[in-house]
Amino acid sequence: MFDFLDGYDVLGAFWLTVKLTAVSAVGSLVWGTLLAAMRVSPVPLMRGFGTVYVNIVRNIPLTVIILFSSLGLADIFGMTMGSNDFDVQGFRLAVLSLVAYTAAFVCEAIRSGINTVPMGQAEAARAIGLSFTQTLRLVILPQAFRSVIGPLANVLIALTKNTTVAAAIGVAEAASLMKTMIENEAQTLLIGAVFAFGFVVLTLPTGLILGWLGKRLAVKR
Amino acid sequence: MSTVLYDTPGPRAKRRNVLFSVVFTVVLALLLWWMWQKMDDKNQLESALWKPFVESEAWTTYLLPGLANTLKAAALAMVIALPLGAVFGIARLSDHRWVRAVSGTVVEFFRAIPVLLLMLFANEFYARSTNVGSADRPLYAVVTGLVLYNAAVLAEVVRAGILSLPKGQTEAAYAIGLRKGQTMSSILLPQAVTAMLPAIVSQLVVIVKDTALGGVMIGFAELLNSRGTLAANYANVVPSFIVVAIIFIVLNFLLTSFASWLEQRLRRSKRSTGAVLGVDKVDDLNAAEVGGTYGTGAGGSI
C-alpha cells in the first residue's frame, strides 16, 4: 500500500524541515531578544527602530521575504551566503528570511512577557543601583522568559509550519517533496496523509511539552 | 518619561542616551548607505526601473488585478471559514463527549499542518477528482487551503470568545428557562461575536499574507504572482519587490489598526459585557488548558 514511498527520501525531507526549524529558531530567538531589548530601551531611537522593524516585517508575507532573498539578494545582489552550492545557498537564504520574519514575533512575545513582571521588581532593582542592562539581564528577562514559554512555543510551531515556504525557492524540505510526489504518483490522498501526519508529529508534541514546561516554570505570583 | 525599566533620565543618563543615539544613528546610516550603494552598483536605482510605478499601465495591467485577486481570495476564505469555525468552536464546548472529541481532533489536526500543504493537496485533488476548470483551480485550491486552516483557528477564537463571557450569563439564561440551544444562539453567541471582532479582523492579516503562498506554489494570479509578470516585462526585480511589499504593509497595517481601534471602541462601549478579545488573548487560551479540552498551542497568529 505504501509502495509509492519507494524512491523518495521522505525522512530526509523532514530532517531538512527539522534542521531549518532548529537553526532558524535559535537565530530568531537571539535576534528577537535583541529587538525586544531595543523596544524597551531608554534610547528613543532604538525604540523607534524596533517598533518600525516589527511593524514592517510582521505585515509582509513570509513568501515575499523568502522569494526576495532568492530573486533579489542572491540573483541581483550576488549574495552567496558563503557558498556556491545551490542547495546550501538556498538553505541559508531560507534561514536568513525565517530569522528576519520570526524574530518580529519573538520580540512581541518577549515584550508581552516583560509586561508581566511587576513594576516593583524593576523599581527594587533600580533602588539597589542596577543599571538598565543589569536590570534587564538579571531581573526582568529571566522572569519574562519563563512567563512567555507558552507564546514562544506558539511561535516555534508557526515557524515549523512556515519552513514549508522555503519550498518556494527550491529548498527540498517536506512541502517541496510533497509537491513532487503528489504530481508524480497516483495516491494523492495517501501522500497528503503521510505529510500531514509528519507535521502533526512535529508540532503536536512541541506544543504539549512546551505548554507543560511553561506552566511548570512560570513564576507563580 | 519613565517606565518600569528605567527612571526619568538625570544629566548623566541623558548624556549617555545622547551618545547611544548618535552611535546608533551612525550605524543605521552606514547600513542604509551601504544598501543604497549596493543598489546603485547593481543599477537598481535607475529611474527607468521605477518609472512604471508612476504610470498607470503597471498598476492597471499587473498590480491592481493581482491585488483584487488577493482580496477576493482572502474575503472568500474569511466568509466561508467563519461560520465553519463557529460550528466547530461551539462543538468543542458541547456537553457530549464524542462531539467534543471529534471537533477537537479536527480543529487540532488542521491547525497542526501548514497551509501550503493544504493548498498543494487541494490543487491536486481538484485536478484529479473534480471537473473544476484549470483556470479556476488555483483560486479554488487557495481558498480551500485557507478555509481549512483558518476555520480551525477561528474555531479557537470562537471558543475563546464564548469562554470569555461571565458565567452568570449562562446561569441567568438557564434561570429564565432558556434551553441550551437558545442560550447559545440568543445570549452567548451575539455577545461572543462582539468580543471576537478584533481577533477576527487580526486573523484577516494572516489570511491576506497566506494568499501569497498560492501565487508562488500553485500559480494563483495574486499580487506576488503579478509582481513576477510585471518584473518579467520591465526587468525591475528589486523595485517590484519593494512596491509589492509596501502594498502588503499598507493593507495589513490598515487591518491591524482597524482591529485595535475596534478593540478600544468595544472596551469603551457600555452595551457589551466588557469582554473583548485581542489576538494575544486567544494565544493565551491556546497555551492553557481550558474547558476540559487541551489546546496544543499550534498557534494560528502568524
Side-chain angles (χ1 to χ4, degrees), chain A residues 58-59 101 122 154 161 185, chain B residues 4 6 111 128 209 252 297:
Chain A
R58 264 197 318 183
N59 286 327
Y101 182 76
N154 282 344
K161 293 186 287 175
E185 304 291 324
Chain B
V4 199
Y6 47 89
R111 261 171 15 126
R128 294 194 183 188
K209 287 197 290 185
N252 289 336

Side-chain angles (χ1 to χ4, degrees), chain B residues 14-63:
Chain B
K14 263 185 189 152
R15 250 178 287 142
R16 204 172 51 229
N17 284 353
V18 168
L19 182 72
F20 276 135
S21 300
V22 170
V23 172
F24 193 73
T25 316
V26 170
V27 172
L28 206 62
L30 277 176
L31 197 72
L32 287 175
W33 182 77
W34 176 74
M35 276 158 62
W36 187 266
Q37 282 298 311
K38 202 81 177 158
M39 278 181 77
D40 205 21
D41 281 353
K42 307 285 175 188
N43 301 322
Q44 292 300 317
L45 292 172
E46 275 176 20
S47 58
L49 298 186
W50 293 88
K51 209 167 160 226
F53 299 112
V54 291
E55 288 162 356
S56 65
E57 199 191 284
W59 291 92
T60 50
T61 328
Y62 305 102
L63 295 177

